[in-house]
Amino acid sequence: MSSSIVLPPGFGYVAAGLVSTAWVLGWQAMIVVGGHRTKSGVKYPQMYAEKAEAEASKAALLFNCAQRAHQNTLEHMPLILVTTLVTAMRYPVFAGYACGLWALSRVLYTLGYTTGDPVKRNTRGGILGELPLFGLLFGATYTAYDLLRSSA
């Protein structure tokens, strides 16, 4: 018995969108968080600077902001991956572009957050990221419905 996976035309856009999220996560972890960890002097395995450290040191505050931006991106990844892949079953180009736009929004979100003013996370990408996120959520929901309807 032989089985194969058939990818829809345009799935390269999905691959590019998903790979862009990997690049963003790598940049956040190694460059942004790692750089701020070094500058702040927060040692492993401590995940964040203590409140007193962050209040006393701008570098520690910036580390916490960088760490939180990265953690928030990680928290969104299961939702992004699932909705991108499900949406891609019927709408691969849309799914790829939406995933890529979300990844770009995370760069802007991170740059805003790491100014030291957490409010800027939303003015520099946070809100922009909600559009592709909800687009993927609705796309995946419709795709799942359509798949169920067509298999009945």
Side-chain angles (χ1 to χ4, degrees):
M1 179 167 111
S2 172
S3 61
S4 61
I5 296 174
V6 178
L7 300 175
F11 200 80
Y13 291 99
V14 177
L18 292 172
V19 168
S20 71
T21 66
W23 279 103
V24 169
L25 287 170
W27 167 73
Q28 285 178 324
M30 292 182 281
I31 306 297
V32 180
V33 175
H36 285 291
R37 180 180 289 279
T38 300
K39 290 175 189 171
S40 69
V42 176
K43 305 290 183 212
Y44 285 105
Q46 192 172 336
M47 193 160 178
Y48 290 96
E50 298 294 332
K51 183 177 179 180
E53 292 175 288
E55 289 172 350
S57 166
K58 176 80 170 180
L61 171 66
L62 292 176
F63 169 69
N64 282 357
C65 289
Q67 185 73 310
R68 187 65 201 122
H70 179 59
Q71 185 66 36
N72 186 265
T73 302
L74 289 169
E75 292 164 359
H76 280 81
M77 284 309 299
L79 180 62
I80 292 299
L81 294 175
V82 168
T83 58
T84 296
L85 291 172
V86 172
T87 301
M89 293 172 150
R90 290 282 199 255
Y91 309 101
V93 176
F94 170 77
Y97 274 109
C99 184
L101 180 59
W102 181 82
L104 174 63
S105 79
R106 298 317 288 185
V107 171
L108 299 174
Y109 176 87
T110 302
L111 293 173
Y113 215 144
T114 56
T115 62
D117 180 3
V119 171
K120 291 183 180 174
R121 73 191 190 280
N122 291 324
T123 60
R124 297 196 182 171
I127 301 301
L128 176 65
E130 299 305 315
L131 296 174
L133 174 66
F134 283 111
L136 287 167
L137 185 58
F138 289 124
T141 302
Y142 182 77
T143 298
Y145 166 77
D146 192 42
L147 289 168
L148 283 171
R149 190 177 50 127
S150 66
S151 68

PDB file of all heavy atoms in Angstrom, residues 4-24:
ATOM      1  N   SER A   4       0.613   8.943  -0.217  1.00  0.00           N
ATOM      2  CA  SER A   4       1.381  10.155  -0.469  1.00  0.00           C
ATOM      3  C   SER A   4       0.576  11.361  -0.011  1.00  0.00           C
ATOM      4  O   SER A   4      -0.641  11.309   0.126  1.00  0.00           O
ATOM      5  CB  SER A   4       1.732  10.275  -1.952  1.00  0.00           C
ATOM      6  OG  SER A   4       0.570  10.351  -2.732  1.00  0.00           O
ATOM      7  N   ILE A   5       1.292  12.416   0.201  1.00  0.00           N
ATOM      8  CA  ILE A   5       0.661  13.686   0.557  1.00  0.00           C
ATOM      9  C   ILE A   5       0.716  14.573  -0.678  1.00  0.00           C
ATOM     10  O   ILE A   5       1.785  14.763  -1.266  1.00  0.00           O
ATOM     11  CB  ILE A   5       1.394  14.365   1.729  1.00  0.00           C
ATOM     12  CG1 ILE A   5       1.283  13.496   2.980  1.00  0.00           C
ATOM     13  CG2 ILE A   5       0.845  15.751   1.977  1.00  0.00           C
ATOM     14  CD1 ILE A   5       2.090  13.999   4.144  1.00  0.00           C
ATOM     15  N   VAL A   6      -0.420  15.084  -1.063  1.00  0.00           N
ATOM     16  CA  VAL A   6      -0.496  15.976  -2.213  1.00  0.00           C
ATOM     17  C   VAL A   6      -0.697  17.389  -1.684  1.00  0.00           C
ATOM     18  O   VAL A   6      -1.679  17.668  -0.994  1.00  0.00           O
ATOM     19  CB  VAL A   6      -1.653  15.577  -3.156  1.00  0.00           C
ATOM     20  CG1 VAL A   6      -1.743  16.547  -4.325  1.00  0.00           C
ATOM     21  CG2 VAL A   6      -1.484  14.154  -3.635  1.00  0.00           C
ATOM     22  N   LEU A   7       0.244  18.244  -1.995  1.00  0.00           N
ATOM     23  CA  LEU A   7       0.161  19.635  -1.563  1.00  0.00           C
ATOM     24  C   LEU A   7      -0.549  20.461  -2.625  1.00  0.00           C
ATOM     25  O   LEU A   7      -0.315  20.263  -3.824  1.00  0.00           O
ATOM     26  CB  LEU A   7       1.554  20.196  -1.311  1.00  0.00           C
ATOM     27  CG  LEU A   7       2.368  19.487  -0.234  1.00  0.00           C
ATOM     28  CD1 LEU A   7       3.786  20.057  -0.173  1.00  0.00           C
ATOM     29  CD2 LEU A   7       1.698  19.605   1.114  1.00  0.00           C
ATOM     30  N   PRO A   8      -1.396  21.364  -2.221  1.00  0.00           N
ATOM     31  CA  PRO A   8      -2.110  22.184  -3.210  1.00  0.00           C
ATOM     32  C   PRO A   8      -1.147  23.145  -3.914  1.00  0.00           C
ATOM     33  O   PRO A   8      -0.114  23.518  -3.353  1.00  0.00           O
ATOM     34  CB  PRO A   8      -3.130  22.955  -2.372  1.00  0.00           C
ATOM     35  CG  PRO A   8      -2.589  22.955  -0.983  1.00  0.00           C
ATOM     36  CD  PRO A   8      -1.776  21.703  -0.851  1.00  0.00           C
ATOM     37  N   PRO A   9      -1.483  23.518  -5.139  1.00  0.00           N
ATOM     38  CA  PRO A   9      -0.651  24.522  -5.823  1.00  0.00           C
ATOM     39  C   PRO A   9      -0.582  25.794  -4.973  1.00  0.00           C
ATOM     40  O   PRO A   9      -1.560  26.189  -4.343  1.00  0.00           O
ATOM     41  CB  PRO A   9      -1.413  24.791  -7.127  1.00  0.00           C
ATOM     42  CG  PRO A   9      -2.304  23.610  -7.314  1.00  0.00           C
ATOM     43  CD  PRO A   9      -2.624  23.092  -5.939  1.00  0.00           C
ATOM     44  N   GLY A  10       0.579  26.388  -4.922  1.00  0.00           N
ATOM     45  CA  GLY A  10       0.758  27.599  -4.124  1.00  0.00           C
ATOM     46  C   GLY A  10       1.226  27.310  -2.712  1.00  0.00           C
ATOM     47  O   GLY A  10       1.365  28.230  -1.901  1.00  0.00           O
ATOM     48  N   PHE A  11       1.500  26.039  -2.388  1.00  0.00           N
ATOM     49  CA  PHE A  11       1.907  25.699  -1.024  1.00  0.00           C
ATOM     50  C   PHE A  11       3.279  26.279  -0.676  1.00  0.00           C
ATOM     51  O   PHE A  11       3.621  26.413   0.487  1.00  0.00           O
ATOM     52  CB  PHE A  11       1.902  24.181  -0.811  1.00  0.00           C
ATOM     53  CG  PHE A  11       1.842  23.806   0.642  1.00  0.00           C
ATOM     54  CD1 PHE A  11       0.628  23.828   1.313  1.00  0.00           C
ATOM     55  CD2 PHE A  11       2.986  23.466   1.337  1.00  0.00           C
ATOM     56  CE1 PHE A  11       0.560  23.496   2.656  1.00  0.00           C
ATOM     57  CE2 PHE A  11       2.924  23.132   2.683  1.00  0.00           C
ATOM     58  CZ  PHE A  11       1.706  23.147   3.351  1.00  0.00           C
ATOM     59  N   GLY A  12       4.038  26.668  -1.681  1.00  0.00           N
ATOM     60  CA  GLY A  12       5.321  27.331  -1.422  1.00  0.00           C
ATOM     61  C   GLY A  12       5.150  28.604  -0.601  1.00  0.00           C
ATOM     62  O   GLY A  12       6.007  28.959   0.203  1.00  0.00           O
ATOM     63  N   TYR A  13       4.023  29.291  -0.786  1.00  0.00           N
ATOM     64  CA  TYR A  13       3.738  30.485   0.011  1.00  0.00           C
ATOM     65  C   TYR A  13       3.568  30.124   1.483  1.00  0.00           C
ATOM     66  O   TYR A  13       3.993  30.849   2.369  1.00  0.00           O
ATOM     67  CB  TYR A  13       2.471  31.189  -0.493  1.00  0.00           C
ATOM     68  CG  TYR A  13       2.632  31.817  -1.846  1.00  0.00           C
ATOM     69  CD1 TYR A  13       2.170  31.173  -2.984  1.00  0.00           C
ATOM     70  CD2 TYR A  13       3.246  33.065  -1.978  1.00  0.00           C
ATOM     71  CE1 TYR A  13       2.323  31.749  -4.239  1.00  0.00           C
ATOM     72  CE2 TYR A  13       3.402  33.649  -3.225  1.00  0.00           C
ATOM     73  CZ  TYR A  13       2.934  32.983  -4.359  1.00  0.00           C
ATOM     74  OH  TYR A  13       3.100  33.562  -5.581  1.00  0.00           O
ATOM     75  N   VAL A  14       2.951  28.995   1.726  1.00  0.00           N
ATOM     76  CA  VAL A  14       2.763  28.523   3.105  1.00  0.00           C
ATOM     77  C   VAL A  14       4.119  28.205   3.718  1.00  0.00           C
ATOM     78  O   VAL A  14       4.415  28.609   4.844  1.00  0.00           O
ATOM     79  CB  VAL A  14       1.842  27.281   3.136  1.00  0.00           C
ATOM     80  CG1 VAL A  14       1.706  26.746   4.550  1.00  0.00           C
ATOM     81  CG2 VAL A  14       0.488  27.623   2.545  1.00  0.00           C
ATOM     82  N   ALA A  15       4.938  27.492   2.963  1.00  0.00           N
ATOM     83  CA  ALA A  15       6.280  27.167   3.454  1.00  0.00           C
ATOM     84  C   ALA A  15       7.066  28.436   3.781  1.00  0.00           C
ATOM     85  O   ALA A  15       7.707  28.533   4.838  1.00  0.00           O
ATOM     86  CB  ALA A  15       7.027  26.314   2.425  1.00  0.00           C
ATOM     87  N   ALA A  16       6.999  29.410   2.898  1.00  0.00           N
ATOM     88  CA  ALA A  16       7.714  30.667   3.135  1.00  0.00           C
ATOM     89  C   ALA A  16       7.182  31.387   4.379  1.00  0.00           C
ATOM     90  O   ALA A  16       7.964  31.908   5.188  1.00  0.00           O
ATOM     91  CB  ALA A  16       7.606  31.578   1.912  1.00  0.00           C
ATOM     92  N   GLY A  17       5.869  31.407   4.535  1.00  0.00           N
ATOM     93  CA  GLY A  17       5.278  32.038   5.719  1.00  0.00           C
ATOM     94  C   GLY A  17       5.704  31.344   6.997  1.00  0.00           C
ATOM     95  O   GLY A  17       6.078  31.991   7.985  1.00  0.00           O
ATOM     96  N   LEU A  18       5.672  30.019   7.002  1.00  0.00           N
ATOM     97  CA  LEU A  18       6.067  29.268   8.198  1.00  0.00           C
ATOM     98  C   LEU A  18       7.554  29.436   8.510  1.00  0.00           C
ATOM     99  O   LEU A  18       7.934  29.599   9.675  1.00  0.00           O
ATOM    100  CB  LEU A  18       5.710  27.793   8.030  1.00  0.00           C
ATOM    101  CG  LEU A  18       4.216  27.481   8.000  1.00  0.00           C
ATOM    102  CD1 LEU A  18       3.989  26.025   7.623  1.00  0.00           C
ATOM    103  CD2 LEU A  18       3.561  27.812   9.333  1.00  0.00           C
ATOM    104  N   VAL A  19       8.379  29.421   7.482  1.00  0.00           N
ATOM    105  CA  VAL A  19       9.818  29.613   7.700  1.00  0.00           C
ATOM    106  C   VAL A  19      10.094  31.016   8.232  1.00  0.00           C
ATOM    107  O   VAL A  19      10.977  31.214   9.065  1.00  0.00           O
ATOM    108  CB  VAL A  19      10.617  29.315   6.409  1.00  0.00           C
ATOM    109  CG1 VAL A  19      12.060  29.775   6.517  1.00  0.00           C
ATOM    110  CG2 VAL A  19      10.559  27.824   6.095  1.00  0.00           C
ATOM    111  N   SER A  20       9.303  31.992   7.808  1.00  0.00           N
ATOM    112  CA  SER A  20       9.503  33.356   8.314  1.00  0.00           C
ATOM    113  C   SER A  20       9.272  33.410   9.826  1.00  0.00           C
ATOM    114  O   SER A  20       9.950  34.164  10.534  1.00  0.00           O
ATOM    115  CB  SER A  20       8.612  34.365   7.584  1.00  0.00           C
ATOM    116  OG  SER A  20       7.252  34.215   7.935  1.00  0.00           O
ATOM    117  N   THR A  21       8.340  32.599  10.331  1.00  0.00           N
ATOM    118  CA  THR A  21       8.125  32.582  11.782  1.00  0.00           C
ATOM    119  C   THR A  21       9.336  31.994  12.501  1.00  0.00           C
ATOM    120  O   THR A  21       9.681  32.440  13.597  1.00  0.00           O
ATOM    121  CB  THR A  21       6.851  31.797  12.183  1.00  0.00           C
ATOM    122  OG1 THR A  21       7.012  30.414  11.882  1.00  0.00           O
ATOM    123  CG2 THR A  21       5.618  32.365  11.513  1.00  0.00           C
ATOM    124  N   ALA A  22       9.979  31.009  11.885  1.00  0.00           N
ATOM    125  CA  ALA A  22      11.189  30.428  12.488  1.00  0.00           C
ATOM    126  C   ALA A  22      12.315  31.460  12.547  1.00  0.00           C
ATOM    127  O   ALA A  22      13.040  31.548  13.544  1.00  0.00           O
ATOM    128  CB  ALA A  22      11.625  29.197  11.701  1.00  0.00           C
ATOM    129  N   TRP A  23      12.459  32.247  11.500  1.00  0.00           N
ATOM    130  CA  TRP A  23      13.475  33.300  11.497  1.00  0.00           C
ATOM    131  C   TRP A  23      13.192  34.351  12.570  1.00  0.00           C
ATOM    132  O   TRP A  23      14.103  34.819  13.251  1.00  0.00           O
ATOM    133  CB  TRP A  23      13.564  33.965  10.118  1.00  0.00           C
ATOM    134  CG  TRP A  23      14.387  33.176   9.160  1.00  0.00           C
ATOM    135  CD1 TRP A  23      13.941  32.387   8.144  1.00  0.00           C
ATOM    136  CD2 TRP A  23      15.815  33.091   9.137  1.00  0.00           C
ATOM    137  NE1 TRP A  23      15.001  31.815   7.495  1.00  0.00           N
ATOM    138  CE2 TRP A  23      16.160  32.231   8.075  1.00  0.00           C
ATOM    139  CE3 TRP A  23      16.825  33.654   9.901  1.00  0.00           C
ATOM    140  CZ2 TRP A  23      17.482  31.923   7.757  1.00  0.00           C
ATOM    141  CZ3 TRP A  23      18.144  33.342   9.596  1.00  0.00           C
ATOM    142  CH2 TRP A  23      18.470  32.489   8.540  1.00  0.00           C
ATOM    143  N   VAL A  24      11.935  34.721  12.718  1.00  0.00           N
ATOM    144  CA  VAL A  24      11.578  35.709  13.745  1.00  0.00           C
ATOM    145  C   VAL A  24      11.889  35.159  15.134  1.00  0.00           C
ATOM    146  O   VAL A  24      12.487  35.856  15.966  1.00  0.00           O
ATOM    147  CB  VAL A  24      10.090  36.127  13.637  1.00  0.00           C
ATOM    148  CG1 VAL A  24       9.658  36.945  14.849  1.00  0.00           C
ATOM    149  CG2 VAL A  24       9.860  36.912  12.358  1.00  0.00           C
TER     150      VAL A  24
END
